[in-house]
């Protein structure tokens, strides 16, 4: 046998032995990109049904795999999936403590759960349910809303002072009324008690109904002002989205076809896109 053949066979035998020692693979597994400096190892979502992916799985229930924040499904490029792409340490460590129906008063309890999870990164989207009450008079007063947001953020600051926090603006619900109040499908769904302060008698042009919708719009603007101020008061570890979510031009193509209110998969993806840019985690 020619010497060069002997050499080749010896090399192949050596590679085979190495493969056996390493679990059957002669080639090392790719290591991926090195972890980004300061990349979070644990993330948590706080807030309401929007962050639970409610209504995005063809049923009116939470569907966390499609959450713009912590979702692990393939259809939404969530914050969790973006972070996982750059640092595998976070795999399986995205926790969602948001809850359908939650108002600002629930934020402190959710924040306590985030502290127990040892969160390094926390997203906060709250306020829609403080608006979506039975009527204008039942909406959470602005001062109370701010106090509850501050209380929740204090829990985070005391328990996880080094965690990064993203506070997200409330979507423009009035815009949703604008694009949906002439659509028969949306009108039928909204009659079943969807955000009644805004969407009751959605097709009406009576002065009282016009005034009610204007009051809801003003209250959302006031809450968004307080969310921005609360984040500023928190300190340098808090980022506000600068109104990015509120500026999203929601259309009926971005909400589910059951309640015509909560974001569908495309809507969750849009929220993930605009909030990721605001988070400053790149």
């Amino acid at each position: 046998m020619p010497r060069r053949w002997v050499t080749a066979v010896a090399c192949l035998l050596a590679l085979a032995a190495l493969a056996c020692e390493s679990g059957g693979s002669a080639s090392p597994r790719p290591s991926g990109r090195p972890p980004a400096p300061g990349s979070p190892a644990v993330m948590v979502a706080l807030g309401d049904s929007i962050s639970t992916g409610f209504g995005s799985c063809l049923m009116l229930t939470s569907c966390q795999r499609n959450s713009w924040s912590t979702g692990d499904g393939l259809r939404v490029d969530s914050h969790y999936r973006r972070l996982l792409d750059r640092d595998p340490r976070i795999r399986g460590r995205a926790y969602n403590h948001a809850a359908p129906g939650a108002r600002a008063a629930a934020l402190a309890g959710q924040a306590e759960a985030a502290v127990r999870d040892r969160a390094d990164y926390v997203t906060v989207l709250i306020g829609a349910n403080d608006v979506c009450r039975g009527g204008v008079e039942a909406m959470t007063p602005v001062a109370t809303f701010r106090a509850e947001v501050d209380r929740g953020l204090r829990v985070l600051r005391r328990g996880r002072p080094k965690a990064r926090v993203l506070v997200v603006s409330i979507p423009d619900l009035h815009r949703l009324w604008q694009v949906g109040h002439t659509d028969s499908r949306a009108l039928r769904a909204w009659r079943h008690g969807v955000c009644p302060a805004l969407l009751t008698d959605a097709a009406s042009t009576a002065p009282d109904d016009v005034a009610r919708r204007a009051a809801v719009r003003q209250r959302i603007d006031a809450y968004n002002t307080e969310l921005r101020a609360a984040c500023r008061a928190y300190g340098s570890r808090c980022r506000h989205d600068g109104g990015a979510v509120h500026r999203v031009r929601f259309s009926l193509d971005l909400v589910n076809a059951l309640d015509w209110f909560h974001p569908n998969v495309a809507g969750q993806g849009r929220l993930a896109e605009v909030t990721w840019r605001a988070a400053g985690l790149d």
Side-chain angles (χ1 to χ4, degrees):
M1 181 181 293
R3 179 173 298 178
R4 65 177 181 275
W5 290 11
V6 173
T7 302
V9 170
C11 290
L12 289 172
L13 290 174
L15 285 172
L18 178 61
C20 292
E21 292 175 2
S22 61
S25 174
S27 301
R29 294 183 179 182
S31 59
R33 290 184 295 174
S39 184
V42 179
M43 75 166 292
V44 171
L46 310 182
D48 55 33
S49 55
I50 297 176
S51 292
T52 72
F54 188 93
S56 64
C57 288
L58 304 181
M59 295 180 63
L60 287 179
T61 187
S62 294
C63 186
Q64 292 188 6
R65 69 174 180 267
N66 290 334
S67 168
W68 65 271
S69 176
T70 59
D72 60 359
L74 298 178
R75 301 180 67 192
V76 176
D77 196 9
S78 67
H79 288 219
Y80 167 67
R81 289 190 60 208
R82 293 169 191 250
L83 290 169
L84 181 61
D85 282 345
R86 63 190 234 179
D87 190 345
R89 292 181 305 160
I90 201 172
R91 183 179 300 278
R93 295 182 177 180
Y95 306 107
N96 196 316
H97 298 302
R103 302 197 294 273
L107 195 57
Q110 294 180 5
E112 289 170 358
V115 172
R116 291 193 295 271
D117 291 333
R118 304 180 66 83
D120 300 314
Y121 173 52
V122 180
T123 67
V124 179
L125 173 50
I126 198 76
N129 291 309
D130 292 273
V131 169
C132 289
R133 312 300 295 150
V136 171
E137 69 286 347
M139 293 190 298
T140 304
V142 175
T144 302
F145 177 81
R146 172 62 187 276
E148 295 292 0
V149 171
D150 282 342
R151 186 164 69 96
L153 292 180
R154 279 197 301 271
V155 171
L156 290 176
R157 189 167 55 202
R158 285 196 303 264
R160 300 296 292 167
K162 294 184 179 180
R164 283 178 282 190
V165 178
L166 175 67
V167 173
V168 177
S169 55
I170 303 167
D172 188 353
L173 303 183
H174 190 269
R175 159 77 181 176
L176 186 60
W177 169 80
Q178 287 177 320
V179 300
H181 77 280
T182 58
D183 188 286
S184 60
R185 300 164 301 173
L187 289 175
R188 281 195 299 270
W190 293 348
R191 291 190 190 108
H192 294 285
V194 179
C195 196
L198 176 65
L199 299 176
T200 295
D201 296 324
S204 172
T205 58
D208 287 349
D209 292 321
V210 172
R212 171 173 48 82
R213 290 190 288 266
V216 170
R217 187 177 194 177
Q218 292 166 4
R219 186 62 57 92
I220 293 173
D221 288 344
Y223 287 170
N224 276 333
T225 297
E226 296 303 330
L227 287 168
R228 183 191 295 268
C231 185
R232 186 184 306 115
Y234 186 97
S236 61
R237 304 300 290 178
C238 186
R239 294 283 295 263
H240 184 257
D241 76 345
V245 165
H246 189 72
R247 289 193 298 271
V248 172
R249 301 286 289 173
F250 264 93
S251 65
L252 294 184
D253 291 338
L254 295 179
V255 296
N256 74 74
L258 295 173
D259 66 8
W260 298 94
F261 184 80
H262 287 89
N264 57 18
V265 168
Q268 289 286 339
R270 183 72 177 130
L271 292 177
E273 178 186 352
V274 300
T275 53
W276 178 255
R277 290 200 297 265
L281 293 173
D282 286 324

